Amino acid sequence: MIAGGPHIVVVGLGYVGLPLAVALARHFPTIGLDIDAGRIAELTSGHDRTREVAPNLLAASLLRLTAEAIDCAGADLYIVTVPTPVDADNQPDLGAVIAASRTVAGLIDPAKRPTVVFESTVYPGVTEQLCGGEIEQAGSLRRGRDFRLGYSPERINPGDREHSVERITKVIAGEDDEVVEQLAAVYGAVTSGGVYRAASIKAAEGAKVIENAQRDINIAFMNEVAQIMAKIDVSVWDVLAAARTKWNFLPFDPGLVGGHCIGVDPYYLSHLAQRLGHEPHVILAGRGTNDRMGAWIADRLHERRGGQAGSVLVLGLTFKENVPDLRNSRTIDVIRRLEALGHRVSVADPLADADEAQRDYGFALTAVGPARYDLVLGAVGHKEYRDMDARHLAALLTEGGTLADVKGIWRSLDLPGVDRWSL
């Protein structure tokens, strides 16, 4: 472990925390804490199921791993990177961030006056009002005297090797100038993209929550366009190909919007708005459009099959292409609606964990081929599916079967005699 610099603890070693902890460990003494002992055992063996950190980098890292909170007592800087999902009613579920705040409270040495930084996506006010209050109450501590707060929103894009934590601009904020400069030194050592000093913790929280809400709204517009064009039998991909020749046309695609950010963060912003007495019409309209997209696709495919139920193979279950992350996958909306319409659905995914799919969604993953199906649906653009040729795809279909291409990944393939559907 590196001897110099502040001693850092990263709380939560998922898609966000692990890459950050590994990057920090190149410069500072760093411990990675995760309450899942299985996750720690996995990482200790050199395997990261999220595929965000390569095995050779993980093996070479000086990062210390632990599932025992007591190993993390007395650090100078605690960075919390736990998930912030929504519940069944699409309300913010802050259980993990509250639990992490309480854990950190028990580790603080007031004599060191450590900084506690939150990277989890929250609405403005959570870091100072909720998390700070939890630390004070759980640890009998006083903010400012015994510890201080900071916020630096995560910008991890799973599977994105270009915009990694070592390259992005890191937004930082603290409750005073000393904290801000401390975070500038720490994060500045990690990323070549530099740091941006936000005006306040609330401003930094707000920046994060609107980044994904903005994307969600733009994708919702594309989904609405796709639905309009479908009524006149025009492919939205053909419309977009023409529109993108204009220099300032924004390059958003239609499709299923899930995952732990875009499909979640707008609800954090709308929750705050409603608490303040403001009805967030645009945000909720966009979210509603995207949440209904899976059922709309299923209904169109059912119509395409003449209203007759049949056998279906869905290719792809993770929330986006080329990542194993199953959280908040919206492919499930298509599957559930097709099942409700009487179809017999099988699901394949080369990256998804079979046990996780069984646990979270209740079905076993299947292999692709040699079975044939009345409907084959390309739901996620994994490289393995993008690379399928016309012969392979045709071999998956029964006579008169339909090939559905949500992502437009097979538009260039010549498939004579095959019934084809796309957005």
Side-chain angles (χ1 to χ4, degrees):
M1 183 175 287
I2 298 171
H7 284 65
I8 301 173
V9 172
V10 177
V11 181
L13 297 177
Y15 282 84
V16 175
L18 181 65
L20 175 63
V22 169
L24 287 167
R26 298 190 186 106
H27 306 276
F28 309 102
T30 305
I31 299 175
L33 171 64
D34 198 292
I35 61 172
D36 183 352
R39 173 69 168 159
I40 295 300
E42 167 192 291
L43 295 175
T44 300
S45 72
H47 172 64
D48 170 27
R49 76 175 80 113
T50 70
R51 305 191 183 193
E52 290 300 307
V53 178
N56 63 314
L57 296 179
L58 191 56
S61 177
L62 296 175
L63 175 67
R64 180 183 169 190
L65 298 163
T66 185
E68 301 296 331
I70 192 62
D71 295 335
C72 304
D76 301 303
L77 179 63
Y78 293 93
I79 302 177
V80 177
T81 64
V82 298
T84 46
V86 291
D87 63 19
D89 297 319
N90 291 323
Q91 295 299 303
D93 178 358
L94 296 169
V97 79
I98 290 172
S101 298
R102 293 171 179 168
T103 296
V104 169
L107 303 174
I108 286 174
D109 179 355
K112 290 192 172 183
R113 201 177 174 225
T115 300
V116 185
V117 181
F118 291 84
E119 290 212 2
S120 306
T121 302
V122 293
Y123 54 84
V126 168
T127 297
E128 295 169 285
Q129 296 165 15
L130 180 63
C131 298
E134 288 290 339
I135 294 172
E136 287 187 319
Q137 183 175 0
S140 298
L141 302 165
R142 183 182 299 173
R143 177 182 158 195
R145 182 192 67 187
D146 300 320
F147 72 95
R148 291 175 295 177
L149 291 175
Y151 186 77
S152 181
E154 61 91 358
R155 282 176 166 169
I156 292 293
N157 182 25
D160 188 338
R161 298 295 176 259
E162 179 181 355
H163 303 100
S164 64
V165 70
E166 297 93 346
R167 297 178 181 178
I168 60 171
T169 299
K170 208 69 171 76
V171 173
I172 59 172
E175 64 177 62
D176 58 40
D177 291 342
E178 187 177 357
V179 170
V180 171
E181 294 313 311
Q182 178 192 31
L183 299 186
V186 169
Y187 285 111
V190 168
T191 178
S192 61
V195 298
Y196 177 84
R197 296 164 174 82
S200 65
I201 289 176
K202 286 182 181 179
E205 291 169 322
K208 171 57 183 174
V209 81
I210 73 165
E211 288 172 7
N212 287 317
Q214 181 191 67
R215 290 186 57 79
D216 192 48
I217 291 165
N218 278 283
I219 296 170
F221 174 62
M222 292 295 107
N223 279 336
E224 190 161 73
V225 169
Q227 294 174 20
I228 294 168
M229 293 300 145
K231 290 181 178 296
I232 57 173
D233 198 26
V234 172
S235 169
V236 70
W237 300 111
D238 292 337
V239 173
L240 290 175
R244 283 171 178 164
T245 61
K246 187 168 188 247
W247 61 91
N248 61 351
F249 186 80
L250 301 178
F252 289 94
D253 290 339
L256 301 169
V257 185
H260 62 293
C261 288
I262 299 179
V264 171
D265 296 356
Y267 286 123
Y268 275 70
L269 185 56
S270 63
H271 173 80
L272 174 64
Q274 290 169 330
R275 280 183 53 188
L276 298 172
H278 175 84
E279 190 60 30
H281 297 288
V282 173
I283 297 168
L284 291 179
R287 194 83 291 279
T289 296
N290 288 338
D291 276 349
R292 292 188 295 269
M293 192 63 180
W296 180 86
I297 289 172
D299 286 344
R300 301 292 78 70
L301 294 176
H302 186 65
E303 291 175 2
R304 187 80 175 196
R305 298 299 304 160
Q308 298 297 310
S311 58
V312 180
L313 174 64
V314 174
L315 299 176
L317 181 60
T318 63
F319 90 88
K320 66 177 288 190
E321 63 273 9
N322 303 321
V323 300
D325 195 348
L326 286 171
R327 291 176 296 171
N328 196 32
S329 168
R330 299 279 43 102
T331 301
I332 194 65
D333 297 337
V334 185
I335 295 169
R336 297 299 186 223
R337 179 58 180 163
L338 287 172
E339 289 177 332
L341 292 168
H343 296 270
R344 304 178 304 280
V345 182
S346 300
V347 184
D349 195 299
L351 298 183
D353 181 87
D355 292 337
E356 188 178 349
Q358 182 68 58
R359 182 188 71 238
D360 293 351
Y361 299 113
F363 49 73
L365 297 178
T366 189
V368 177
R372 290 173 176 261
Y373 301 86
D374 300 317
L375 170 64
V376 173
L377 169 62
V380 183
H382 291 314
K383 184 179 185 302
E384 181 171 319
Y385 298 149
R386 288 180 180 273
D387 291 344
M388 283 183 168
D389 58 24
R391 179 190 59 81
H392 193 176
L393 288 168
L396 293 174
L397 292 166
T398 58
E399 184 176 353
T402 299
L403 180 66
D405 184 7
V406 170
K407 301 296 290 184
I409 59 177
W410 301 313
R411 295 179 69 233
S412 63
L413 292 183
D414 185 19
L415 286 160
V418 173
D419 179 49
R420 303 178 69 170
W421 179 92
S422 182
L423 290 179

